[in-house]
Amino acid sequence: MSIMPINSFENYPMSWKPSVDKSKKPIYKALAEQLKQDILNGVLIPGTKLPPQRELADYLDLNLSTISKAIKVCELKGLLSSSVGSGTFVSYDALSNAYLLEETKPKHLIEMGATLPDNASYEPLLNQLRGMLQEPHYEKWFGYGRAGESLWQKDAAVKLIRRGGFETTVDHILFANGGQNAIAATLASLCHPGDCIGANHHTYAGLKTVAAMLSLKIVPIKSENYEMSPDAFEYACKNENIRGIYLIPDYHNPTTRCMSVENRKAIATIAKKYNKFIIEDATYHLHKEKTLPAIASFAPEQVIHIASLSKSIAPGLRLAYVAVPNQFKELISKALYNLNISVSPLLAELAARTIVSNQFEVLIEEHRKRTIRINQVVNRYLADYMCLGAETGIFRWLLLPGKITGAEFETLAAQQGVQVYAAERFVVGNSSPERAVRISVCAPETLEELEQGLMIIKRLLNDLP
């Protein structure tokens, strides 16, 4: 009678049986790469619970420390999610890096994925730019900007941020080359690799890519009615070792929710109590007709308030104004400088003149009117379905009927000629993605293209079992 070796697992039920070439050093990196490939190739699907680390060590005849290092690498890349007592799982957002915005839009697809404002109201910007280029010393817009030259532009930043619900002063203002770069500089300066930050279960995909690049772990914080729960935030402060949180209070991307004033105050109070930073992404604040107080107004010493111009005025401006508390200003300023996230003098001047002359109000109003008309069309086509979002929002959150997942519907829609974005792109950690897709309603170039896309989406919904 033959005796089975102790670490023979041929007939043993394991959810993952990797094979690692031990000649490749370091072995933990080879194992981490194997896990990544198995996820990408569908061998391991999101939600799969991995075998305990000791079992993997026995199976592969490796030291437990080697397995632990490989698991840690994969957690920092967002591929795995673990919690004490529950084990280690393949993250639901493990595939989201493969979901990112394509460099070029496929010509056969109607774009309803990327969040783009309408492009029909840029004339005030064009007139302003023409005037600047006719001035005697126009060449200065094409040189290096100097800090002293930006003082009046900071006044413009204060004016725009005030319009978005937060009263600040010029000594708190920094400039960044777009909102996502401002988020990157903030996290790079305030966090170290391995640190945790909190966010909603579904969050802005750009945050996820920045966190992965900086080896930060995003901790999903429970929501109630699509708003981050203050109680869950406090629990995370006590138990999850988070450094801070990231929030989009108005038109949360992707779920469209606007946070109540009561919750803004509660979140701010907890951040002060536990000395946690808040990154307040104010990208969509100006879309509201009546702005609510920003979270920064309740905790100005805890909140990094980022007012991006890409969605409210024009994506091509690539400019964000960052109102930074004193305790973080030097660190974030250095990060913006060292990462070379500087702002074009031409665009900074153009934006400032547009704001100070109040032409930005004309632009915002034109965007708002057109967005309301577009959402009326959306409501007409999708009236029979749960399609969340306000009439002034540039995207909607479509809850899918039946059992189809967001990823399956995204694939189905693309096959029929429409690009939408699945909930799986936005889900954080081991959270379960909603069966939903985000529809960018202002991205189609014409109203006719919008209607064509909506007809396809409606037909697909009607045909679902």
Side-chain angles (χ1 to χ4, degrees):
M1 185 174 111
S2 62
I3 298 172
M4 183 180 285
I6 290 173
N7 61 347
S8 173
F9 285 78
E10 272 185 36
N11 300 311
Y12 187 79
M14 289 178 72
S15 59
W16 184 44
K17 294 184 176 182
S19 58
V20 178
D21 182 353
K22 294 179 184 177
S23 66
K24 291 184 177 178
K25 307 291 183 182
I27 295 174
Y28 80 91
K29 284 191 176 178
L31 183 58
E33 181 60 28
Q34 176 68 57
L35 186 128
K36 176 185 166 187
Q37 291 305 319
D38 282 352
I39 289 171
L40 289 173
N41 295 331
V43 176
L44 284 171
I45 62 171
T48 302
K49 184 176 180 178
L50 291 191
Q53 292 185 22
R54 195 169 296 281
E55 278 189 20
L56 280 172
D58 287 346
Y59 174 70
L60 294 168
D61 200 17
L62 293 171
N63 290 333
L64 182 61
S65 61
T66 302
I67 304 296
S68 298
K69 284 172 80 173
I71 297 294
K72 186 69 176 172
V73 166
C74 292
E75 281 183 341
L76 290 175
K77 287 182 176 178
L79 299 174
L80 297 177
S81 179
S82 60
S83 58
V84 178
S86 298
T88 303
F89 297 82
V90 178
S91 293
Y92 278 98
D93 62 348
L95 290 171
S96 63
N97 283 347
Y99 271 129
L100 296 178
L101 177 62
E102 296 80 3
E103 288 188 12
T104 57
K105 187 188 91 171
K107 287 179 181 173
H108 67 285
L109 287 184
I110 296 171
E111 178 62 83
M112 297 181 78
T115 50
L116 304 171
D118 72 273
N119 57 7
S121 50
Y122 295 151
E123 196 173 345
L125 282 178
L126 183 61
N127 292 336
Q128 190 74 257
L129 186 59
R130 281 181 179 139
M132 286 170 58
L133 296 178
Q134 286 168 1
E135 291 176 7
H137 302 293
Y138 69 87
E139 69 278 357
K140 66 184 175 182
W141 312 130
F142 300 95
Y144 283 112
R146 297 186 182 278
E149 294 169 353
S150 68
L151 286 176
W152 87 274
Q153 294 173 356
K154 290 186 176 183
D155 283 326
V158 168
K159 179 176 180 176
L160 186 93
I161 290 170
R162 182 187 302 126
R163 177 71 170 70
F166 177 40
E167 195 72 52
T168 188
T169 54
V170 291
D171 51 308
H172 290 287
I173 300 296
L174 298 173
F175 291 174
N177 191 355
Q180 188 170 357
N181 287 332
I183 294 166
T186 300
L187 291 176
S189 59
L190 302 186
C191 299
H192 298 101
D195 281 352
C196 297
I197 55 166
N200 293 80
H201 278 124
H202 295 83
T203 195
Y204 169 48
L207 173 74
K208 292 168 54 172
T209 56
V210 167
M213 180 182 72
L214 298 174
S215 295
L216 305 177
K217 183 179 178 183
I218 306 179
V219 174
I221 297 179
K222 287 180 181 173
S223 298
E224 293 171 6
N225 296 321
Y226 292 105
E227 294 185 36
M228 184 180 288
S229 159
D231 289 342
F233 174 36
E234 184 157 25
Y235 177 88
C237 290
K238 290 177 181 176
N239 301 290
E240 301 278 6
N241 198 29
I242 59 171
R243 296 293 306 275
I245 56 171
Y246 169 85
L247 284 172
I248 308 174
D250 288 315
Y251 301 106
H252 173 258
N253 184 4
T255 65
T256 76
R257 182 72 177 182
C258 290
M259 184 179 277
S260 67
V261 175
E262 181 187 18
N263 270 11
R264 294 175 197 230
K265 286 180 180 175
I267 293 283
T269 300
I270 293 162
K272 287 190 283 190
K273 180 179 177 181
Y274 294 95
N275 193 27
K276 305 297 181 186
F277 68 77
I278 297 175
I279 299 175
E280 180 176 28
D281 188 340
T283 296
Y284 303 101
H285 280 207
L286 297 180
H287 290 240
K288 288 183 77 69
E289 201 154 3
K290 292 181 180 176
T291 51
L292 296 175
I295 296 173
S297 63
F298 302 118
E301 285 308 309
Q302 308 300 132
V303 180
I304 299 96
H305 181 90
I306 301 172
S308 163
L309 306 187
S310 62
K311 303 299 192 287
S312 55
I313 298 182
L317 280 178
R318 301 304 307 141
L319 185 63
Y321 299 133
V322 192
V324 182
N326 289 330
Q327 62 171 324
F328 304 134
K329 189 178 176 188
E330 187 178 353
L331 286 170
I332 295 175
S333 181
K334 282 182 179 176
L336 287 165
Y337 178 81
N338 291 330
L339 295 171
N340 197 25
I341 304 176
S342 53
V343 173
S344 152
L346 175 68
L347 297 182
E349 182 74 10
L350 174 59
R353 291 188 184 200
T354 303
I355 293 164
V356 170
S357 66
N358 274 343
Q359 285 179 328
F360 85 106
E361 294 283 10
V362 175
L363 272 167
I364 289 167
E365 188 55 34
E366 283 301 310
H367 281 313
R368 189 182 291 125
K369 284 179 183 173
R370 184 169 161 78
T371 303
I372 289 170
R373 288 198 299 272
I374 285 170
N375 274 302
Q376 287 169 349
V377 175
V378 175
N379 292 341
R380 200 166 68 238
Y381 278 91
L382 302 180
D384 295 336
Y385 298 94
M386 282 286 288
C387 194
L388 308 181
E391 61 175 4
T392 51
I394 64 173
F395 55 89
R396 304 287 289 271
W397 188 239
L398 175 64
L399 303 180
L400 298 169
K403 294 183 178 179
I404 192 167
T405 66
E408 289 166 346
F409 192 85
E410 178 178 324
T411 301
L412 205 58
Q415 289 168 354
Q416 298 299 313
V418 181
Q419 177 74 73
V420 296
Y421 282 175
E424 283 81 349
R425 291 176 179 263
F426 309 100
V427 76
V428 171
N430 207 35
S431 308
S432 193
E434 277 204 301
R435 290 186 303 99
V437 291
R438 190 190 72 188
I439 300 174
S440 182
V441 297
C442 291
E445 293 180 8
T446 64
L447 211 53
E448 292 73 28
E449 192 178 51
L450 170 72
E451 293 208 47
Q452 189 183 344
L454 289 169
M455 275 191 275
I456 292 169
I457 291 169
K458 183 177 181 180
R459 189 177 70 242
L460 290 173
L461 291 169
N462 290 344
D463 290 345
L464 289 176

